[in-house]
Amino acid sequence: MSHTLGIRQAQKQKTRQALLDAALGLLEEQSLSSLGLREVTRAVGVAPTAFYRHFRSTADLGVALVEEALGSLHPMIRTTVSTTGDREERVVRTIDLIARHVDGYPAHVRFIARERHGGVQPVREAIRGQLTRFAQEVKDELAKDPVSEGWSEDDLLMLAHLYVDQMLSTASLFLEALEGPEEERPARTREVAQLATRQMRLIGLGRHHWLD
Amino acid sequence: MSHTLGIRQAQKQKTRQALLDAALGLLEEQSLSSLGLREVTRAVGVAPTAFYRHFRSTADLGVALVEEALGSLHPMIRTTVSTTGDREERVVRTIDLIARHVDGYPAHVRFIARERHGGVQPVREAIRGQLTRFAQEVKDELAKDPVSEGWSEDDLLMLAHLYVDQMLSTASLFLEALEGPEEERPARTREVAQLATRQMRLIGLGRHHWLD
DNA sequence: AATTCCAGAGAACAGTTGTTAACTGCATGG
DNA sequence: CCATGCAGTTAACAACTGTTCTCTGGAATT
């Protein structure tokens, strides 16, 4: 299916990716709304005008970054929620998976957390769209669980949103631990994991008694 | 107690407040990290250099805004959590109070939501400090409730953080409803209130069965 | 082999930025 | 009443920004 693209297209995609990577790096210490196009091209080592061959503006680049950061996450979410096993075990595995993801893609996580409520409207909307999709998918998985018998669609979606928010908040806490002083890192990471685990457990308890 | 300050100090505080207000306005469509000092002074109608009489930098101004947005909120939080009455009634009253606050100070709410994970470290830390204080205060109020008998300090704090996060997330949703198209506003506001109410209710359920 | 296409370079533009220095005028305290 | 303090002004600076137009070299097409 996938056609091997020519030297030309390949080189273009390479610089495009370089721009995205450079931007993600620069966004560690600032917000998208203050990211300059010249700043990005300088970091890559291309002329400022080359930027326009790939993006209309930095806002446009931001939307592309949302796709990169969240687009490939859907299968992971689905499998996470639907993994079998003990209730407690599932919670622990989910938290662990979040921790692993933050470890593997810290810049992506920071970008999403930062720009979700950031100053660039199209990016905010792109993130909101992806998170809504996540909530829908989580809802679909929750619906399969026998615990969800008798639940209304609205209530399932309500719970799904709560889970999605909780996951994001947890990811952000893991990131803070990762960025803090190195010697405190293991301890802080454990603390965050424990906090998140108990919060998820409490939400799970609420879920089981919802229909009382 | 409060000494009536001279004409001089009064005028100074007046421009200082004007700078804060102008900044808050400008931050509706951008992040703090892209807010320029000249931009702020221009909006107020003073010379750029006058800025330095009040703040070292825009980051410094940001920290002052955190104080303004969250500093006066502590008594409200305390009384909210500790209000008596039916369990369901308390939830509804809390959500209503959040909605009222967002209505009264939308720019403050947006600022906090935006800069909590924003690109300016000192501001992030100032917000984190205030939210930690909130969590502590919520914990203290929760501890007084007979439902909390047998709870460990850690678990109380865990729940308090969950409540604080939930409040912030709800405030942000109310804000989105407020900023959306005018004709959808009442409906969206009702939907958000209903969603938030059920999420709080579910967390409350988890709380009641925590020690099972 | 000749032609078209197009990613990236280069130069120039008007405007913007933060920061400095020296100033002015007025409220303040002696 | 007079000298001091200090909020705010004015002017100038080097550095930076996004965007335009023109150009070039080499891959792609014929």
Side-chain angles (χ1 to χ4, degrees):
Chain A
M1 186 77 255
S2 71
H3 180 251
T4 310
L5 14 71
I7 298 179
R8 208 158 172 156
Q9 299 268 339
Q11 189 48 248
K12 179 170 185 182
Q13 289 218 359
K14 207 172 156 187
T15 33
R16 186 190 135 100
Q17 191 57 46
L19 289 169
L20 288 170
D21 292 348
L24 207 53
L26 291 165
L27 286 174
E28 288 188 18
E29 20 196 63
Q30 63 181 314
S31 309
L32 184 66
S33 85
S34 65
L35 183 72
L37 120 199
R38 291 184 101 106
E39 206 178 340
V40 179
T41 55
R42 194 186 311 132
V44 174
V46 301
T49 48
F51 187 91
Y52 292 107
R53 298 282 178 199
H54 304 276
F55 308 102
R56 244 186 276 279
S57 62
T58 51
D60 200 25
L61 178 146
V63 173
L65 275 179
V66 173
E67 189 60 31
E68 178 175 299
L70 295 181
S72 65
L73 222 59
H74 293 274
M76 177 175 145
I77 291 276
R78 289 196 93 89
T79 57
T80 302
V81 181
S82 65
T83 45
T84 55
D86 184 63
R87 240 159 68 52
E88 176 68 12
E89 196 184 314
R90 264 162 46 161
V91 169
V92 171
R93 210 183 311 170
T94 302
I95 305 292
D96 188 61
L97 214 118
I98 294 171
R100 251 184 251 283
H101 185 76
V102 175
D103 236 39
Y105 310 89
H108 280 156
V109 173
R110 171 171 35 237
F111 172 73
I112 296 300
R114 184 157 295 171
E115 301 304 330
R116 182 185 185 190
H117 303 283
V120 184
Q121 205 219 22
V123 173
R124 278 200 311 267
E125 287 195 353
I127 295 176
R128 192 160 51 85
Q130 291 284 353
L131 293 185
T132 302
R133 276 186 60 196
F134 282 139
Q136 278 292 339
E137 289 168 5
V138 169
K139 190 206 84 176
D140 290 346
E141 292 301 327
L142 288 175
K144 295 178 189 168
D145 196 310
V147 180
S148 303
E149 257 183 83
W151 282 57
S152 75
E153 289 288 296
D154 261 24
D155 283 352
L156 279 174
L157 199 55
M158 174 279 286
L159 178 61
H161 270 113
L162 192 57
Y163 274 132
V164 170
D165 278 0
Q166 178 62 18
M167 285 182 192
L168 227 85
S169 155
T170 299
S172 175
L173 285 178
F174 273 126
L175 186 63
E176 281 180 29
L178 206 69
E179 289 168 333
E182 192 172 353
E183 65 271 21
E184 295 178 12
R185 196 173 303 165
R188 278 296 298 147
T189 303
R190 257 194 308 277
E191 282 171 26
V192 170
Q194 209 205 30
L195 175 77
T197 304
R198 285 182 297 172
Q199 287 179 339
M200 289 270 301
R201 202 184 296 155
L202 187 138
I203 293 175
L205 274 172
R207 183 186 172 205
H208 272 77
H209 294 89
W210 184 244
L211 294 180
D212 295 357
Chain B
M1 187 76 254
S2 71
H3 180 251
T4 311
L5 15 71
I7 298 178
R8 205 158 175 149
Q9 299 267 341
Q11 189 46 248
K12 180 171 183 180
Q13 288 220 359
K14 206 172 157 187
T15 38
R16 186 190 135 100
Q17 192 56 48
L19 288 169
L20 287 170
D21 292 349
L24 207 54
L26 291 165
L27 286 172
E28 287 188 19
E29 19 196 64
Q30 63 180 314
S31 310
L32 184 65
S33 84
S34 65
L35 183 70
L37 121 203
R38 292 184 101 107
E39 206 179 341
V40 179
T41 55
R42 195 186 312 132
V44 174
V46 302
T49 47
F51 187 91
Y52 292 107
R53 299 283 177 199
H54 303 277
F55 308 102
R56 243 186 277 278
S57 61
T58 50
D60 199 26
L61 177 145
V63 173
L65 275 180
V66 174
E67 189 60 32
E68 178 176 298
L70 294 181
S72 65
L73 221 60
H74 294 273
M76 177 174 145
I77 291 276
R78 289 196 93 87
T79 57
T80 302
V81 181
S82 64
T83 46
T84 56
D86 184 62
R87 238 156 71 51
E88 177 66 14
E89 196 184 313
R90 264 164 42 164
V91 170
V92 171
R93 212 184 308 170
T94 302
I95 304 291
D96 188 62
L97 213 118
I98 294 172
R100 253 184 250 283
H101 185 76
V102 175
D103 236 41
Y105 309 91
H108 280 156
V109 173
R110 172 171 34 236
F111 172 72
I112 296 300
R114 184 158 295 172
E115 300 304 330
R116 183 185 184 189
H117 303 284
V120 184
Q121 204 219 23
V123 173
R124 278 200 311 267
E125 288 195 351
I127 295 176
R128 193 161 52 84
Q130 291 283 352
L131 294 185
T132 303
R133 276 186 61 195
F134 282 138
Q136 279 292 341
E137 289 168 5
V138 169
K139 191 206 84 176
D140 291 346
E141 293 300 326
L142 288 175
K144 294 178 188 168
D145 196 308
V147 180
S148 303
E149 258 183 82
W151 281 57
S152 75
E153 290 288 296
D154 261 23
D155 283 352
L156 280 173
L157 199 56
M158 173 281 285
L159 179 61
H161 270 113
L162 192 57
Y163 274 133
V164 170
D165 278 0
Q166 178 62 18
M167 286 182 193
L168 226 86
S169 155
T170 300
S172 175
L173 284 178
F174 273 126
L175 186 63
E176 279 180 30
L178 207 69
E179 289 169 333
E182 193 172 353
E183 64 272 22
E184 295 178 12
R185 196 172 302 164
R188 279 296 299 147
T189 303
R190 257 195 308 276
E191 281 171 28
V192 170
Q194 209 206 29
L195 175 77
T197 304
R198 284 182 297 172
Q199 287 180 339
M200 289 271 300
R201 202 184 294 155
L202 188 138
I203 293 175
L205 275 172
R207 182 185 172 204
H208 272 76
H209 293 90
W210 184 245
L211 294 180
D212 295 358

